[in-house]
Amino acid sequence: MKLLLTYVLFFLNLFWLVPLIYPLLLLKLLPIRAIRAFADRNLVSIGEIWIQNNYRISVLMYGITFDVRGLDHPEISPSKSYLIVSNHQSFADVYVIQSVLNRKVPFIRFFIKSSLKYIPILGQAWVGLDFPFVRRSKKADLIKNPELANKDLESVREVCQKFKEIPFCILNFVEGHRRTKERMAKIAKKNPYKYLMRAHSGGISVVATELKEQLHGVLDLTIIYPNDQSSFYDLMKGDVRGIRVDVEFIPIAEVPVEDNASYAAMSKKMKRWIDERWQKKDAILTSEFGS
Protein backbone atom coordinates (compact mmCIF):
# COMPACT_ATOMS: atom_id res chain seq x y z
CA MET A 1 0.00 0.00 0.00
CA LYS A 2 2.83 2.42 0.82
CA LEU A 3 4.48 1.75 -2.54
CA LEU A 4 1.21 2.44 -4.36
CA LEU A 5 0.66 5.63 -2.39
CA THR A 6 4.21 6.75 -3.20
CA TYR A 7 3.61 6.30 -6.93
CA VAL A 8 0.31 8.19 -6.65
CA LEU A 9 2.09 11.12 -4.95
CA PHE A 10 4.79 11.16 -7.62
CA PHE A 11 2.13 11.07 -10.34
CA LEU A 12 0.23 13.96 -8.74
CA ASN A 13 3.47 15.93 -8.49
CA LEU A 14 3.88 15.41 -12.23
CA PHE A 15 0.26 16.03 -13.17
CA TRP A 16 0.09 19.53 -11.65
CA LEU A 17 2.71 20.64 -14.17
CA VAL A 18 0.30 20.33 -17.10
CA PRO A 19 -1.68 23.60 -16.74
CA LEU A 20 1.57 25.48 -16.05
CA ILE A 21 4.09 24.26 -18.60
CA TYR A 22 1.99 24.21 -21.75
CA PRO A 23 1.14 27.96 -21.76
CA LEU A 24 4.85 28.67 -21.16
CA LEU A 25 5.80 26.36 -24.02
CA LEU A 26 3.53 28.39 -26.30
CA LEU A 27 5.17 31.62 -25.11
CA LYS A 28 8.56 30.18 -26.06
CA LEU A 29 7.38 29.98 -29.65
CA LEU A 30 6.97 33.75 -29.85
CA PRO A 31 9.86 35.58 -31.57
CA ILE A 32 10.18 38.08 -28.71
CA ARG A 33 13.31 37.64 -26.63
CA ALA A 34 11.92 39.13 -23.40
CA ILE A 35 8.87 36.85 -23.50
CA ARG A 36 11.00 33.80 -24.23
CA ALA A 37 13.29 34.71 -21.32
CA PHE A 38 10.24 35.06 -19.05
CA ALA A 39 9.02 31.62 -20.11
CA ASP A 40 12.48 30.09 -19.59
CA ARG A 41 12.80 31.49 -16.06
CA ASN A 42 9.38 30.23 -15.03
CA LEU A 43 9.89 26.80 -16.58
CA VAL A 44 13.11 26.42 -14.59
CA SER A 45 11.32 27.52 -11.39
CA ILE A 46 8.61 24.93 -12.01
CA GLY A 47 11.28 22.27 -12.61
CA GLU A 48 13.03 23.13 -9.35
CA ILE A 49 9.75 22.94 -7.40
CA TRP A 50 8.98 19.57 -9.01
CA ILE A 51 12.39 18.22 -7.95
CA GLN A 52 11.99 19.57 -4.42
CA ASN A 53 8.54 17.99 -4.11
CA ASN A 54 9.90 14.60 -5.26
CA TYR A 55 12.53 14.83 -2.54
CA ARG A 56 9.91 15.76 0.07
CA ILE A 57 7.74 12.80 -0.94
CA SER A 58 10.65 10.36 -0.52
CA VAL A 59 11.50 11.82 2.89
CA LEU A 60 7.86 11.71 4.00
CA MET A 61 7.28 8.13 2.86
CA TYR A 62 10.61 6.50 3.63
CA GLY A 63 12.87 8.89 5.51
CA ILE A 64 15.52 8.91 2.77
CA THR A 65 18.63 10.85 3.80
CA PHE A 66 21.73 12.04 1.95
CA ASP A 67 25.28 12.23 3.22
CA VAL A 68 26.70 14.85 0.83
CA ARG A 69 30.41 15.62 1.01
CA GLY A 70 32.16 18.46 -0.78
CA LEU A 71 29.12 20.50 -1.80
CA ASP A 72 30.20 23.32 0.53
CA HIS A 73 33.15 24.15 -1.74
CA PRO A 74 33.30 27.97 -2.17
CA GLU A 75 33.50 27.63 -5.98
CA ILE A 76 30.14 25.87 -6.21
CA SER A 77 27.37 28.39 -6.87
CA PRO A 78 23.98 28.70 -8.65
CA SER A 79 25.43 31.55 -10.72
CA LYS A 80 28.27 29.53 -12.33
CA SER A 81 28.27 26.86 -15.03
CA TYR A 82 29.44 23.27 -14.61
CA LEU A 83 29.84 20.00 -16.46
CA ILE A 84 28.77 17.16 -14.15
CA VAL A 85 30.08 13.60 -14.45
CA SER A 86 28.96 10.69 -12.29
CA ASN A 87 28.94 6.94 -11.97
CA HIS A 88 25.69 5.38 -13.13
CA GLN A 89 23.63 2.46 -11.82
CA SER A 90 19.97 3.24 -12.47
CA PHE A 91 17.38 5.96 -12.97
CA ALA A 92 17.66 6.49 -9.21
CA ASP A 93 20.93 8.31 -9.94
CA VAL A 94 19.03 11.13 -11.67
CA TYR A 95 16.74 11.49 -8.67
CA VAL A 96 19.71 11.54 -6.28
CA ILE A 97 21.70 14.11 -8.27
CA GLN A 98 18.72 16.38 -8.78
CA SER A 99 17.82 16.18 -5.08
CA VAL A 100 21.24 17.01 -3.67
CA LEU A 101 22.17 19.71 -6.21
CA ASN A 102 18.78 21.37 -6.68
CA ARG A 103 19.17 25.16 -6.30
CA LYS A 104 22.80 24.69 -5.23
CA VAL A 105 23.87 24.91 -8.89
CA PRO A 106 22.07 26.04 -12.06
CA PHE A 107 19.21 23.83 -13.21
CA ILE A 108 20.65 20.49 -14.31
CA ARG A 109 20.07 19.21 -17.82
CA PHE A 110 21.25 15.88 -19.18
CA PHE A 111 21.44 14.27 -22.59
CA ILE A 112 18.26 12.44 -23.60
CA LYS A 113 17.55 10.16 -26.55
CA SER A 114 15.61 12.14 -29.14
CA SER A 115 12.79 9.57 -29.19
CA LEU A 116 11.93 10.34 -25.55
CA LYS A 117 10.71 13.85 -26.32
CA TYR A 118 7.33 12.32 -27.21
CA ILE A 119 6.67 11.02 -23.68
CA PRO A 120 3.53 12.79 -22.40
CA ILE A 121 4.19 15.72 -20.03
CA LEU A 122 7.82 14.86 -19.25
CA GLY A 123 8.87 14.93 -22.89
CA GLN A 124 7.31 18.32 -23.44
CA ALA A 125 8.78 19.62 -20.18
CA TRP A 126 12.24 18.48 -21.30
CA VAL A 127 11.76 20.28 -24.61
CA GLY A 128 10.64 23.45 -22.88
CA LEU A 129 13.55 23.32 -20.46
CA ASP A 130 16.03 22.97 -23.35
CA PHE A 131 17.26 19.52 -22.38
CA PRO A 132 19.78 18.37 -24.96
CA PHE A 133 18.21 15.72 -27.19
CA VAL A 134 20.69 13.64 -29.13
CA ARG A 135 20.52 10.74 -31.52
CA ARG A 136 22.58 7.85 -30.22
CA SER A 137 23.53 5.37 -32.91
CA LYS A 138 23.52 1.68 -32.11
CA LYS A 139 26.86 -0.12 -32.08
CA ALA A 140 25.85 -2.30 -35.04
CA ASP A 141 24.95 0.78 -37.07
CA LEU A 142 28.26 2.44 -36.19
CA ILE A 143 30.17 -0.61 -37.43
CA LYS A 144 28.33 -0.45 -40.75
CA ASN A 145 28.62 3.31 -41.03
CA PRO A 146 31.34 4.92 -38.82
CA GLU A 147 30.28 8.36 -40.10
CA LEU A 148 27.26 8.14 -37.78
CA ALA A 149 29.58 8.76 -34.83
CA ASN A 150 30.46 12.16 -36.28
CA LYS A 151 26.77 12.96 -36.71
CA ASP A 152 26.08 12.04 -33.08
CA LEU A 153 28.87 14.32 -31.87
CA GLU A 154 27.72 17.10 -34.18
CA SER A 155 24.33 16.98 -32.49
CA VAL A 156 26.15 17.46 -29.16
CA ARG A 157 27.92 20.53 -30.59
CA GLU A 158 24.59 21.98 -31.71
CA VAL A 159 23.17 21.47 -28.22
CA CYS A 160 26.11 23.36 -26.70
CA GLN A 161 25.17 26.52 -28.58
CA LYS A 162 22.08 26.88 -26.40
CA PHE A 163 24.12 27.30 -23.24
CA LYS A 164 26.54 30.09 -24.11
CA GLU A 165 24.53 32.94 -22.60
CA ILE A 166 23.14 31.60 -19.29
CA PRO A 167 24.51 29.74 -16.24
CA PHE A 168 23.96 26.03 -16.83
CA CYS A 169 24.77 22.51 -15.69
CA ILE A 170 25.05 19.58 -18.07
CA LEU A 171 25.10 16.09 -16.57
CA ASN A 172 26.84 13.31 -18.48
CA PHE A 173 26.88 9.67 -17.40
CA VAL A 174 30.14 8.90 -19.17
CA GLU A 175 29.89 5.13 -18.76
CA GLY A 176 27.19 5.26 -21.41
CA HIS A 177 25.04 2.55 -19.81
CA ARG A 178 23.70 1.72 -16.39
CA ARG A 179 25.97 -0.60 -14.44
CA THR A 180 24.16 -3.88 -13.91
CA LYS A 181 25.38 -7.26 -12.74
CA GLU A 182 24.74 -8.66 -16.21
CA ARG A 183 26.82 -5.98 -17.95
CA MET A 184 29.62 -6.27 -15.40
CA ALA A 185 29.77 -10.04 -15.92
CA LYS A 186 29.82 -9.60 -19.69
CA ILE A 187 32.78 -7.19 -19.67
CA ALA A 188 34.62 -8.70 -16.69
CA LYS A 189 37.73 -9.75 -18.64
CA LYS A 190 38.24 -6.34 -20.25
CA ASN A 191 37.03 -4.10 -17.43
CA PRO A 192 39.80 -2.63 -15.21
CA TYR A 193 37.30 -1.58 -12.53
CA LYS A 194 35.46 -3.47 -9.83
CA TYR A 195 32.54 -1.11 -9.26
CA LEU A 196 32.49 0.88 -12.49
CA MET A 197 32.45 0.44 -16.24
CA ARG A 198 34.84 2.13 -18.65
CA ALA A 199 34.13 5.82 -19.18
CA HIS A 200 33.76 7.30 -22.67
CA SER A 201 35.48 10.64 -23.09
CA GLY A 202 34.28 11.80 -26.54
CA GLY A 203 31.05 13.45 -25.43
CA ILE A 204 32.42 15.35 -22.42
CA SER A 205 35.48 16.39 -24.44
CA VAL A 206 33.22 17.98 -27.06
CA VAL A 207 31.10 19.72 -24.39
CA ALA A 208 34.12 20.95 -22.41
CA THR A 209 35.85 22.24 -25.53
CA GLU A 210 32.80 23.91 -27.04
CA LEU A 211 31.84 25.57 -23.74
CA LYS A 212 35.28 26.15 -22.20
CA GLU A 213 34.72 29.92 -22.06
CA GLN A 214 31.48 29.48 -20.12
CA LEU A 215 32.34 26.54 -17.83
CA HIS A 216 33.59 27.35 -14.35
CA GLY A 217 34.58 23.77 -13.72
CA VAL A 218 33.63 20.09 -13.53
CA LEU A 219 31.69 18.52 -10.67
CA ASP A 220 32.74 14.88 -10.32
CA LEU A 221 30.07 12.99 -8.35
CA THR A 222 30.44 9.56 -6.78
CA ILE A 223 27.11 8.06 -5.73
CA ILE A 224 27.35 5.37 -3.07
CA TYR A 225 24.23 3.39 -2.21
CA PRO A 226 24.21 1.50 1.10
CA ASN A 227 24.05 -1.92 -0.60
CA ASP A 228 25.94 -0.91 -3.78
CA GLN A 229 23.35 -2.13 -6.33
CA SER A 230 20.14 -0.11 -6.07
CA SER A 231 17.36 0.48 -8.57
CA PHE A 232 14.71 3.18 -8.67
CA TYR A 233 12.22 0.48 -7.67
CA ASP A 234 14.33 -0.28 -4.58
CA LEU A 235 14.23 3.41 -3.77
CA MET A 236 10.45 3.57 -4.14
CA LYS A 237 9.96 0.46 -1.99
CA GLY A 238 11.86 2.12 0.82
CA ASP A 239 14.72 -0.40 0.72
CA VAL A 240 17.23 2.43 0.34
CA ARG A 241 17.65 4.95 3.14
CA GLY A 242 21.01 6.69 3.54
CA ILE A 243 22.77 7.56 0.27
CA ARG A 244 26.24 9.07 0.18
CA VAL A 245 27.29 11.50 -2.54
CA ASP A 246 30.88 12.72 -2.84
CA VAL A 247 31.20 15.97 -4.80
CA GLU A 248 34.58 17.10 -6.11
CA PHE A 249 35.04 20.44 -7.84
CA ILE A 250 37.70 20.59 -10.55
CA PRO A 251 38.47 24.06 -12.00
CA ILE A 252 38.12 24.22 -15.77
CA ALA A 253 41.79 25.23 -15.96
CA GLU A 254 42.66 21.71 -14.75
CA VAL A 255 40.43 19.99 -17.33
CA PRO A 256 42.24 19.03 -20.57
CA VAL A 257 40.09 20.85 -23.13
CA GLU A 258 41.32 21.02 -26.73
CA ASP A 259 42.37 24.25 -28.44
CA ASN A 260 41.02 22.93 -31.73
CA ALA A 261 37.40 21.79 -31.50
CA SER A 262 37.96 19.39 -34.42
CA TYR A 263 40.17 17.22 -32.19
CA ALA A 264 37.88 17.21 -29.15
CA ALA A 265 36.06 13.94 -29.83
CA MET A 266 39.36 12.06 -30.25
CA SER A 267 41.24 13.80 -27.43
CA LYS A 268 43.78 11.47 -25.83
CA LYS A 269 44.33 14.01 -23.07
CA MET A 270 40.69 13.85 -22.04
CA LYS A 271 40.69 10.06 -22.21
CA ARG A 272 43.66 9.86 -19.85
CA TRP A 273 42.09 12.42 -17.54
CA ILE A 274 38.73 10.68 -17.28
CA ASP A 275 40.45 7.29 -16.83
CA GLU A 276 42.38 8.75 -13.89
CA ARG A 277 39.16 10.13 -12.43
CA TRP A 278 37.53 6.70 -12.78
CA GLN A 279 40.46 4.94 -11.10
CA LYS A 280 40.09 7.29 -8.15
CA LYS A 281 36.32 6.80 -8.08
CA ASP A 282 36.66 3.00 -8.17
CA ALA A 283 39.11 3.19 -5.25
CA ILE A 284 36.50 5.12 -3.23
CA LEU A 285 33.85 2.48 -3.96
CA THR A 286 36.27 -0.36 -3.25
CA SER A 287 37.15 1.12 0.14
CA GLU A 288 33.44 1.34 0.90
CA PHE A 289 32.42 -2.17 -0.17
CA GLY A 290 35.66 -4.12 0.03
CA SER A 291 38.12 -5.41 -2.55
Side-chain angles (χ1 to χ4, degrees):
M1 179 59 72
K2 181 178 280 192
L3 177 62
L4 177 61
L5 178 58
T6 301
Y7 274 109
V8 168
L9 290 174
F10 273 101
F11 174 78
L12 291 175
N13 187 38
L14 180 63
F15 190 74
W16 75 268
L17 300 177
V18 175
L20 297 177
I21 64 171
Y22 285 99
L24 292 170
L25 289 175
L26 291 175
L27 287 179
K28 286 197 66 169
L29 297 176
L30 298 176
I32 304 172
R33 187 169 184 174
I35 293 179
R36 290 171 61 88
F38 169 82
D40 284 334
R41 287 194 303 271
N42 283 276
L43 282 166
V44 166
S45 295
I46 291 169
E48 290 174 340
I49 294 171
W50 178 72
I51 291 168
Q52 185 66 24
N53 285 345
N54 283 339
Y55 170 67
R56 287 170 176 163
I57 291 169
S58 64
V59 171
L60 172 68
M61 299 303 294
Y62 298 116
I64 289 176
T65 60
F66 295 107
D67 175 13
V68 186
R69 307 178 184 184
L71 191 53
D72 57 350
H73 194 287
E75 294 298 327
I76 298 177
S77 164
S79 63
K80 298 175 180 177
S81 298
Y82 307 94
L83 173 60
I84 303 172
V85 296
S86 174
N87 57 317
H88 189 29
Q89 287 193 26
S90 71
F91 184 72
D93 303 333
V94 175
Y95 159 80
V96 170
I97 293 171
Q98 286 181 329
S99 296
V100 302
L101 295 184
N102 190 36
R103 294 173 174 158
K104 304 292 193 306
V105 298
F107 188 78
I108 300 170
R109 297 166 174 89
F110 46 88
F111 291 96
I112 302 176
K113 292 181 180 179
S114 58
S115 59
L116 297 183
K117 67 175 65 175
Y118 303 106
I119 294 177
I121 306 177
L122 271 179
Q124 289 74 62
W126 288 330
V127 170
L129 286 163
D130 292 317
F131 272 65
F133 288 92
V134 294
R135 179 183 180 276
R136 293 177 179 172
S137 300
K138 296 179 180 179
K139 187 174 181 179
D141 294 333
L142 288 172
I143 293 174
K144 294 179 181 178
N145 184 7
E147 186 61 27
L148 288 175
N150 293 329
K151 291 183 179 179
D152 291 347
L153 290 170
E154 187 57 37
S155 67
V156 174
R157 291 190 177 94
E158 291 174 1
V159 163
C160 289
Q161 300 305 312
K162 296 181 180 180
F163 302 109
K164 289 194 172 183
E165 297 182 0
I166 58 171
F168 64 89
C169 279
I170 294 182
L171 166 64
N172 195 325
F173 291 116
V174 294
E175 288 164 296
H177 298 281
R178 291 168 303 204
R179 177 173 68 88
T180 63
K181 291 180 180 179
E182 293 75 19
R183 282 201 179 101
M184 290 295 283
K186 188 175 180 179
I187 64 173
K189 293 182 179 180
K190 297 180 180 180
N191 186 20
Y193 309 114
K194 184 172 178 61
Y195 292 97
L196 300 168
M197 298 190 297
R198 286 184 181 274
H200 304 285
S201 60
I204 61 166
S205 185
V206 170
V207 173
T209 298
E210 293 287 334
L211 297 174
K212 59 186 175 185
E213 301 300 326
Q214 288 75 36
L215 284 169
H216 187 61
V218 171
L219 299 180
D220 185 357
L221 273 57
T222 304
I223 303 174
I224 306 172
Y225 294 98
N227 60 347
D228 182 32
Q229 289 287 349
S230 295
S231 67
F232 189 70
Y233 181 65
D234 294 330
L235 197 94
M236 292 300 96
K237 287 193 304 180
D239 292 345
V240 180
R241 292 289 198 276
I243 301 169
R244 175 178 152 193
V245 183
D246 290 359
V247 182
E248 184 175 355
F249 168 75
I250 304 107
I252 194 62
E254 297 178 12
V255 179
V257 296
E258 290 288 343
D259 295 327
N260 189 331
S262 300
Y263 301 142
M266 299 176 291
S267 174
K268 293 182 179 180
K269 294 184 296 182
M270 180 62 83
K271 185 180 186 308
R272 286 194 298 268
W273 184 80
I274 198 66
D275 285 346
E276 290 171 0
R277 302 300 312 170
W278 245 236
Q279 289 168 9
K280 182 177 180 180
K281 194 183 299 289
D282 198 52
I284 293 172
L285 291 166
T286 299
S287 67
E288 186 72 19
F289 300 112
S291 57

